[in-house]
């Protein structure tokens, strides 16, 4: 663990030259770009943490400038995703995958982030149980430009199951002029807990467990810039994380609490949050190719689970536990 902290400190000095780590006791708690032990405790307890002032501000501004210049050039690819055998685009959303060598040449500041392991070493030092992997192939980094005009994302998990190895998501926002009404907020939905709305403010990072936190992005009326780093783990998506069995189908409070903390929740989330999923799909994909197919597939999935003799009553009991309140990140 001390060796990991040493690597984290050295990497921190390379990536964040203007931000010194504290000596002594403080050095054990501090990490990359303002990450501290309180944030890691929140990740363990709630599944997410919000970090303001994440990057050196000069670096954050360089990243924003590079992102906007590339987006305005018209060369940033439209966001594509797979649904069944077909590929579709999300309206008004553009993404650059930094594993693409052409993107690395076009976006050198972001390429530096891909090949720097500062973040993973910092997380490993304070959250070793995640068993993160190291190296550029053990992470993904995508720059995203939302052109506004209602661009958004429906409810989803960043790691929906095998073969994904994503363990931790870090979204960093680069929007100095954002204000309420511009939209594009991230909404986190820890299972059967109140939703948390995160404003996409400049140099704010949102960390959350990729396999535990359902989330979406609200429609944006103004342009929105961010990039996302996903860190892989060698122990993600084990059998006990993926397989819903009869022993999970208990409405006892202790059993429900275990489900809240288990990736198995992914097996039932679409039925538990059926209306929320449908509404977000309509908002994101309205009149776009693939919308009706997705809605039909969602309805069929929910119907199949809800009509199951044992699973149906269990889903009804979980739906009754959904809280009706939404918190902002300042209240979290």
């Amino acid at each position: 663990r001390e060796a990991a902290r040493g690597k984290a400190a050295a990497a921190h000095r390379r990536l964040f030259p203007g931000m010194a780590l504290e000596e002594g006791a403080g050095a054990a708690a501090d990490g990359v770009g303002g990450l501290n032990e309180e944030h890691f405790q929140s990740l363990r307890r709630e599944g997410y943490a919000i970090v303001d002032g994440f990057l050196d501000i000069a670096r954050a501004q360089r990243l924003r400038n590079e992102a906007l210049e590339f987006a305005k050039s018209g060369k940033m690819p439209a966001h594509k995703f797979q649904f069944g055998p077909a590929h579709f685009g999300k309206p008004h959303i553009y993404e650059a995958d930094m594993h693409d060598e052409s993107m690395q040449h076009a976006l050198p500041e972001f390429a530096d982030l891909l090949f720097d392991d500062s973040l993973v070493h910092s997380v490993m030092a304070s959250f070793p149980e995640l068993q993160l992997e190291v190296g550029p192939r053990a992470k993904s980094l995508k720059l995203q430009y939302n052109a506004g005009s209602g661009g958004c994302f429906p409810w989803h998990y960043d790691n929906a199951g095998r073969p994904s190895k994503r363990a931790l998501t870090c979204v960093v926002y680069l929007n100095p002029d954002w204000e309420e009404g511009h939209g594009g907020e991230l909404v986190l939905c820890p299972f059967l807990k109140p939703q948390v709305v995160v404003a996409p403010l400049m140099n704010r990072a949102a960390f959350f467990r990729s396999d535990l936190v359902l989330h979406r992005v609200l429609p944006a009326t103004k342009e929105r810039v961010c990039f996302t780093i996903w860190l892989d783990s060698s122990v993600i998506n084990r059998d006990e994380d993926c397989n819903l069995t009869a022993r999970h189908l208990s409405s006892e409070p202790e059993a429900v609490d275990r489900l809240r903390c288990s990736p198995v929740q992914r097996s039932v989330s679409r039925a538990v949050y059926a209306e929320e999923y449908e509404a977000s799909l309509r908002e994101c994909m309205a009149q776009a190719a693939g919308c009706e197919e997705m809605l039909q597939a969602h309805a069929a999935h929910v119907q199949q689970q809800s009509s199951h003799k044992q699973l149906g009553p269990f889903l009804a009991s979980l739906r009754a536990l959904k809280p009706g309140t939404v918190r902002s990140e300042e209240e979290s």
Side-chain angles (χ1 to χ4, degrees), residues 139-155:
K139 70 164 76 73
S140 301
L141 192 159
K142 293 184 179 182
L143 166 64
Q144 183 186 107
Y145 175 74
N146 185 329
S149 303
C152 60
F153 282 77
W155 289 107

Side-chain angles (χ1 to χ4, degrees), residues 58-86:
R59 188 180 184 90
Q61 190 60 55
R62 291 199 304 273
L63 289 164
R64 173 177 166 79
N65 292 344
E66 185 174 88
L68 283 178
E69 181 179 357
F70 189 58
K72 302 297 186 182
S73 74
K75 298 177 182 178
M76 188 176 291
H79 175 86
K80 297 287 185 182
F81 65 99
Q82 186 171 353
F83 182 80

Side-chain angles (χ1 to χ4, degrees), residues 47-101:
Y48 68 89
I50 310 303
V51 184
D52 286 315
F54 178 64
L55 293 166
D56 173 80
I57 189 61
R59 188 180 184 90
Q61 190 60 55
R62 291 199 304 273
L63 289 164
R64 173 177 166 79
N65 292 344
E66 185 174 88
L68 283 178
E69 181 179 357
F70 189 58
K72 302 297 186 182
S73 74
K75 298 177 182 178
M76 188 176 291
H79 175 86
K80 297 287 185 182
F81 65 99
Q82 186 171 353
F83 182 80
H87 286 80
F88 300 96
K90 283 193 178 73
H92 316 296
I93 306 291
Y94 302 84
E95 279 190 344
D97 185 340
M98 297 312 301
H99 277 300
D100 183 330
E101 288 190 9

Side-chain angles (χ1 to χ4, degrees), residues 182-298:
H182 286 179
E185 296 95 335
L186 172 70
V187 186
L188 305 174
C189 184
F191 196 64
L192 301 180
K193 292 184 178 181
Q195 296 175 17
V196 179
V197 180
V198 182
L201 302 177
M202 181 69 174
N203 211 12
R204 166 174 283 177
F207 286 81
F208 54 91
R209 294 285 302 275
S210 306
D211 59 342
L212 283 178
V213 179
L214 187 65
H215 60 285
R216 68 157 305 187
V217 175
L218 296 177
T221 61
K222 302 290 184 180
E223 69 177 11
R224 170 185 175 274
V225 180
C226 69
F227 65 91
T228 304
I229 300 172
W230 293 274
L231 302 181
D232 288 355
S233 167
S234 58
V235 295
I236 214 74
N237 284 333
R238 299 166 296 183
D239 287 347
E240 57 266 35
D241 298 329
C242 299
N243 298 331
L244 182 71
T245 64
R247 67 182 178 83
H248 293 107
L249 307 185
S250 170
S251 301
E252 293 297 320
E254 289 184 0
V256 173
D257 283 341
R258 286 195 296 271
L259 188 61
R260 282 192 177 106
C261 301
S262 169
V264 171
Q265 64 177 256
R266 296 173 298 183
S267 302
V268 297
S269 68
R270 281 172 58 189
V272 173
Y273 292 95
E275 295 83 4
E276 291 89 342
Y277 267 85
E278 180 180 341
S280 70
L281 275 172
R282 292 186 183 279
E283 222 168 20
C284 175
M285 300 296 295
Q287 300 179 338
C291 182
E292 286 306 313
E293 294 94 326
M294 293 175 201
L295 289 170
Q296 290 170 13
H298 170 63

Side-chain angles (χ1 to χ4, degrees), residues 14 21 43 69 81 95 97 100 102 112 115 122 137 160 172 203 215 241 307 314 316:
R14 292 197 307 273
L21 287 170
L43 272 171
E69 181 179 357
F81 65 99
E95 279 190 344
D97 185 340
D100 183 330
S102 67
D112 285 349
F115 291 102
S122 182
R137 289 296 167 187
V172 183
N203 211 12
H215 60 285
D241 298 329
S307 60
F314 177 64

